[in-house]
Amino acid sequence: MKGFRKSIFLATTENQHFDVLIIGAGPIGLACGIEAQKAGKSYVIIDKGTLVNSLYNYPAFMTFFSTSERLEIGGVPFMSISTKPNRNEALEYYRRVTEKFQLNVRLFEEVLNCKKQESGLFQVATSKANYEAENVIVATGFYDVPNLMNIPGEDLPKVVHYYKDPHYYAFSKVLVVGANNSSVDVALETYRKGAEVTMVIRGSEMGPNVKYWVRPDIENRIKEGSIKAYFESNLKEIKEHSVIITTPEGEVEIENDFVAAMTGYQPNFEFLEKLGVTLDENKVPNYNPATMESNVQGLYLAGVVCGGMDTHKWFIENSRVHAEQIMKNIVGKS
């Protein structure tokens, strides 16, 4: 959810009332909808994009680190060809889960504002309708806001923070920034489509979370020189046809066609703050880990949005339980 617009409540539309309004139709948002349905609560799931929008925007050939059973929600088995499913299998699975439970999902509808009234109800305005809700669950993930490098040239058209398909970069000079899974995937996939790949890595080695079956591949490609890597280095400037890299040996300027800045993403903290959620110095939101209720009574957080800047803390597999925790608390109150 990019930005948080000024309050816009559509006066011509009658408010629709729900026990629970869920912002975000990713796997955790869907899990929350399933639990609300099981508890007999009226609910709606709203997303500004498509179903499981973040997964849809993952690289076309991405394979999950988690096994399929750890990605399951609602008790529905996730069958995949391999132990670790790919993006397309995940999209199919979550769509089928949505169909099975006939979840009340409203897609391509952006939440513009959400305010808690003196009555205790939340008034929510979207790009299409107005809603009233007794409880709101924020399950928006972290994929909308990339971590910027804040260097000259980052706004050039050749710079991307999201990567989809390697064919686009065939026979081009590609610079990849980062040393974790997304960076490694981009480097290997574009290299195998004929790109001349260079990596800029801030540390002295590849990231500790790189998938174990991929790590030997990238390390061997670097060792043999098929992929050039500058360790303990930083990208200093991006020019139209080149880039400048700061290395331990000094600055290096190399020819370049595309920059894939795989520098990670962060939750929309501005959105959380305008909901009234307080954040600590590490941008971790204030919530009760037992109930997932934030400092705003009736406003709950679920999934990776709970981790602040540490987006490696919560995944689908370890935050599925948030849905059950939240609904248990809501049912207990009622």
Side-chain angles (χ1 to χ4, degrees):
M1 180 174 306
K2 293 183 179 178
F4 192 97
R5 301 182 186 176
K6 188 177 180 181
S7 177
I8 303 175
F9 291 101
L10 308 178
T12 58
T13 306
E14 183 178 354
N15 289 350
Q16 303 174 61
H17 184 92
F18 293 95
D19 295 327
V20 182
L21 185 143
I22 302 161
I23 306 174
I28 305 305
L30 298 180
C32 290
I34 292 170
E35 293 303 317
Q37 188 179 103
K38 288 180 179 179
K41 299 294 184 180
S42 62
Y43 71 94
V44 62
I45 306 171
I46 300 173
D47 198 294
K48 71 178 184 63
T50 188
L51 189 72
V52 291
N53 192 68
S54 293
L55 302 191
Y56 173 76
N57 285 298
Y58 280 177
F61 304 109
M62 193 210 78
T63 298
F64 282 84
F65 190 92
S66 302
T67 57
S68 56
E69 64 266 22
R70 293 189 174 187
L71 301 176
E72 293 174 356
I73 60 174
V76 179
F78 184 172
M79 307 301 294
S80 60
I81 296 175
S82 300
T83 303
K84 299 178 185 300
N86 59 41
R87 165 191 172 272
N88 290 341
E89 290 174 321
L91 293 179
E92 179 68 10
Y93 171 74
Y94 291 115
R95 183 183 63 80
R96 295 296 290 269
V97 169
T98 302
E99 289 181 335
K100 171 181 171 58
F101 289 98
Q102 297 184 329
L103 295 176
N104 184 20
V105 178
R106 303 186 184 182
L107 304 173
F108 302 103
E109 182 172 347
E110 183 179 5
V111 173
L112 305 178
N113 212 337
C114 175
K115 286 186 175 181
K116 187 170 185 179
Q117 308 300 302
E118 291 184 5
S119 63
L121 294 176
F122 290 90
Q123 188 175 16
V124 181
T126 75
S127 55
K128 295 183 179 180
N130 287 326
Y131 302 89
E132 283 184 349
E134 296 182 21
N135 303 276
V136 170
I137 301 174
V138 180
T140 49
F142 71 110
Y143 205 61
D144 279 346
V145 184
N147 294 324
L148 300 179
M149 298 176 290
N150 297 312
I151 61 174
E154 189 171 8
D155 58 347
L156 287 174
K158 72 174 187 176
V159 181
V160 297
H161 290 276
Y162 297 91
Y163 163 79
K164 194 72 173 179
D165 189 288
H167 174 80
Y168 185 80
Y169 304 96
F171 313 124
S172 301
K173 292 178 173 61
V174 178
L175 183 83
V176 181
V177 182
N180 290 309
N181 282 307
S182 56
S183 307
V184 171
D185 287 344
V186 173
L188 289 172
E189 290 181 8
T190 55
Y191 156 70
R192 293 201 162 95
K193 296 301 180 182
E196 181 182 319
V197 179
T198 301
M199 299 185 74
V200 175
I201 299 168
R202 186 167 51 187
S204 59
E205 58 184 5
M206 305 307 299
N209 297 316
V210 172
K211 291 173 279 195
Y212 64 84
W213 65 92
V214 175
R215 180 180 291 276
D217 191 2
I218 187 63
E219 290 179 344
N220 287 331
R221 300 296 74 74
I222 292 173
K223 184 177 180 180
E224 70 187 14
S226 298
I227 293 175
K228 173 69 175 177
Y230 290 97
F231 290 95
E232 298 181 331
S233 302
N234 291 284
L235 184 57
K236 179 180 178 181
E237 183 178 354
I238 303 169
K239 299 182 179 181
E240 187 173 355
H241 301 295
S242 67
V243 295
I244 298 177
I245 306 167
T246 302
T247 78
E249 287 74 39
E251 290 186 359
V252 176
E253 184 168 0
I254 62 173
E255 294 182 357
N256 172 260
D257 298 311
F258 296 101
V259 173
M262 301 292 102
T263 50
Y265 311 93
Q266 60 182 264
N268 192 329
F269 298 120
E270 180 185 359
F271 177 65
L272 290 177
E273 288 178 320
K274 291 196 175 182
L275 288 175
V277 178
T278 57
L279 310 175
D280 69 12
E281 63 275 8
N282 295 315
K283 299 291 187 178
V284 176
N286 185 345
Y287 70 95
N288 183 336
T291 65
M292 308 310 296
E293 188 172 26
S294 74
N295 57 283
V296 179
Q297 188 174 5
L299 178 65
Y300 297 84
L301 307 178
V304 70
V305 73
C306 301
M309 291 298 294
D310 185 3
T311 55
H312 295 289
K313 180 176 181 179
W314 295 107
F315 304 92
I316 297 172
E317 64 180 67
N318 69 350
S319 60
R320 297 175 296 177
V321 296
H322 292 174
E324 299 174 9
Q325 292 175 257
I326 292 169
M327 205 50 54
K328 181 179 179 181
N329 187 252
I330 290 175
V331 171
K333 288 182 178 180
S334 60

